[in-house]
Amino acid sequence: VPAAGAHSLYNSSMGNPTVVRGGIDRSGSDGSYTYSTRSNMADKPVNYVSIWDAFRYCNWLHNGQPAGAIGPSTTEDGAYDLTDSAAIAANTVVREAGALYWLPDDDEWVKAAYYDPSKAGGYWKYPTSSDVAPTIATAGGVGQITNSGSNVANYNSGAVWNGVTGNLTTVGSAGPGSTSFIGAADMGGNVDELTETIVGPTLRYIRGGSWLFPVAAGLSIQVRTPSNVDVDERSSLGFRIAKAVAP
């Protein structure tokens, strides 16, 4: 359950000492909290987040990463208008024109993960530039992938470190042989990734599979899964940001 506070941006599982897959500690009291990354987690994907957390992060980037009180000029508007509580409740919030940073929609995510102009048919089956199921990643004591190389992904709980079977791994540590054509790392495995594509009243698509997903098929181009935006904050779910490129 997300902790109390403005918009529940912090989920207590991020820093729970008995939950070793979260990456952010919080200390202090309401109004004067401080935050720090947990040991060996600074280079791992953020998790225990919701679509609204992701949209607010996009707004914060869009607005120039300002400090100060939460509001339209910091986290509540810019890339996504979150000032209308009815739109949030109805799950109808969409990207604003002129957004500088945003959550990819399903089509954008698929192209970044699977598209290769030199490939017959244009798309790989897996986001490791392969039509063959990726090798399951293994990990060392700080979460670095130890069998890096061609066509490796963190899924099926293969990354055993920090006292648990199955965990996040260091971003990009599978190496350049396991990226998509454009060089995007970990689009298969590590964490499922939220997209902004609306599926229903409480649902948005997620893509990519996670460290927990038991079979390689979950990382493939054919699979997209509806995620409940109201309750789905977990250790195997995160997000990826897209950025506008100057012409």
Side-chain angles (χ1 to χ4, degrees), residues 5 8 34 67 107 131 145 147 160 172 179 186 188 196 200 204 208 213 223:
S8 298
T34 59
D107 289 339
D131 288 329
I145 290 176
N147 60 336
V160 179
T179 68
D186 300 307
E196 66 175 21
R204 307 249 179 170
F213 213 94
V223 174

Side-chain angles (χ1 to χ4, degrees), residues 28 58 132 167 197:
C58 292
V132 177
N167 203 344
T197 297

Side-chain angles (χ1 to χ4, degrees), residues 12-46:
S12 60
S13 292
M14 292 177 175
N16 186 328
T18 64
V19 180
V20 295
R21 297 185 181 100
I24 304 172
D25 280 325
R26 181 172 74 173
S27 58
S29 57
D30 194 7
S32 60
Y33 288 124
T34 59
Y35 301 87
S36 60
T37 53
R38 302 177 82 177
S39 178
N40 300 318
M41 296 302 288
D43 51 8
K44 308 302 188 291
V46 69

Side-chain angles (χ1 to χ4, degrees), residues 7 9 56 59-60 63 70-78 80-84 88 96:
H7 305 300
L9 292 175
R56 288 186 166 96
N59 284 342
W60 182 71
N63 292 322
I70 287 175
S73 65
T74 57
T75 62
E76 301 310 292
D77 204 358
Y80 300 93
D81 183 0
L82 302 176
T83 63
D84 184 352
I88 293 175
E96 295 191 65

Side-chain angles (χ1 to χ4, degrees), residues 121-143:
Y123 289 85
W124 294 102
K125 182 175 181 178
Y126 295 102
T128 50
S129 299
S130 176
D131 288 329
V132 177
T135 299
I136 298 169
T138 56
V142 298

